[in-house]
Amino acid sequence: MAANLSPFMNPAAVATYTHDTPRKVPGLADLHRMTAILLAERAPAAAHILVVGAGGGLELKAMAEAVPGWCFTGVDPSSAMLDIARETVASYTDRTTLLLGTVDQVPRGPFDGAVCLLTLHFLDRSERLHTLREIRGRMKPGRALVIAHHTSPDGNSEAWLARSATFADQTVSNTQKSANSAKAMAERLPLLTPAEEEALLLEAGFIEPKLFYAAFSFRGWVAIAS
Ligand SMILES: C[S@@+](CC[C@H](N)C(=O)[O-])C[C@H]1O[C@@H](n2cnc3c(N)ncnc32)[C@H](O)[C@@H]1O
C-alpha cells in the first residue's frame, strides 16, 4: 500500500471517519444520492453493485437505504476501515458482502454498476489504470461507474486543495493552516487534471465519461462500461 494510505490502516486514526467525512466533503450526502440516481439509470431494480474502497461504509449505507432491491459487494484493503463499514451497514448485512483487499480480490461478477468514491486520488496513474480496468472487467457492458475524488481542476491544485481544507475546517477564510495542509496534500497525492481523468477512464474501457459533481478540488464522473 502507498505511504499516503497508511493512516487508513491505523484504527485510532480512522476512529472518527464516519463523523468527520460528511463535514469535510462538500455535499457528501447529495453526492451519495446522485451516485444512486446515476447507477439506477442503467441498473435493474434487483442489482448487484460493486463498491471499491468501501471502508467506512458511508456510500454503502446511503445506497442500501435508497434502493431496497440492491445488494452490494464492498472491498477495501484496510481492515480498520472495513470494521467501521461493518458497523455502518449493520442494518443491511443481508445485502452487503465486505471483502478485505483491492478490486483484484473481488469475484468476476459481473456487476450491474460500480462505485469508487474518495479513493482514486491516493493511487498513482498506473495503479489507478489497473484498478479502473479491473472494475471494468467485472461489470456488465452498458452499466455505470461513478467515481469522485480530489483532482487538480486547472493545474493549480494547491489553491483548490486549500479551499477544500478550509471547508473541512468549517471556517470561511483560507488560513495558513489550510495552505499548509494543501501543500502537504499536493505533494503526496498524485492528482490528475479533469482531462487526464477522462482519458484514463477511456483507456480503462469506459465510454462517455461525464462530469456530474464539482466542489472545490473534488470532481465526480459517471462513465459507462463499454
Ligand atoms: C478516504 S477513504 C474513502 C472511503 C469511502 N469510499 C468513502 O467515500 O467514505 C479511502 C479508502 O480507500 C481505501 N484504499 C486504499 N487503497 C485502495 C485500493 N488500491 N483499492 C481500493 N481501496 C483502496 C483505503 O483503505 C480507504 O478505506
Side-chain angles (χ1 to χ4, degrees), residues 1 5 8 17 52-53 55 58-59 76-78 81 102 117-119 122-123 127:
M1 173 175 283
L5 282 160
F8 292 109
Y17 183 83
V52 174
L58 291 170
E59 66 270 53
D76 197 290
S78 159
M81 288 294 281
T102 65
L117 300 184
L118 311 182
T119 296
F122 292 110
L123 309 187
E127 202 182 347

Side-chain angles (χ1 to χ4, degrees), residues 10 21 31 67 69 82 98 105 130 140 187:
N10 177 352
T21 305
L31 172 61
V67 194
L82 270 191
L98 293 175
Q105 276 69 55
H130 172 78
K140 292 179 189 162
E187 280 168 7

Side-chain angles (χ1 to χ4, degrees), residues 3 5 16 28 48 59 63 65 88 98 102 111 119 128 146 180 186 196 201 217-218 221:
L5 282 160
T16 56
L28 185 64
H48 191 178
E59 66 270 53
M63 291 190 288
E65 275 173 2
T88 307
L98 293 175
T102 65
F111 291 87
T119 296
R128 277 192 209 212
V146 175
N180 293 345
E196 290 168 332
L201 284 164
S217 53
F218 295 93
W221 285 266

Side-chain angles (χ1 to χ4, degrees), residues 157-167 174-175 178-179 181-182 217:
S157 351
E158 272 190 48
W160 290 107
L161 287 167
R163 293 171 182 130
S164 293
T166 300
F167 184 92
N174 288 316
T175 58
S178 44
S181 156
S217 53

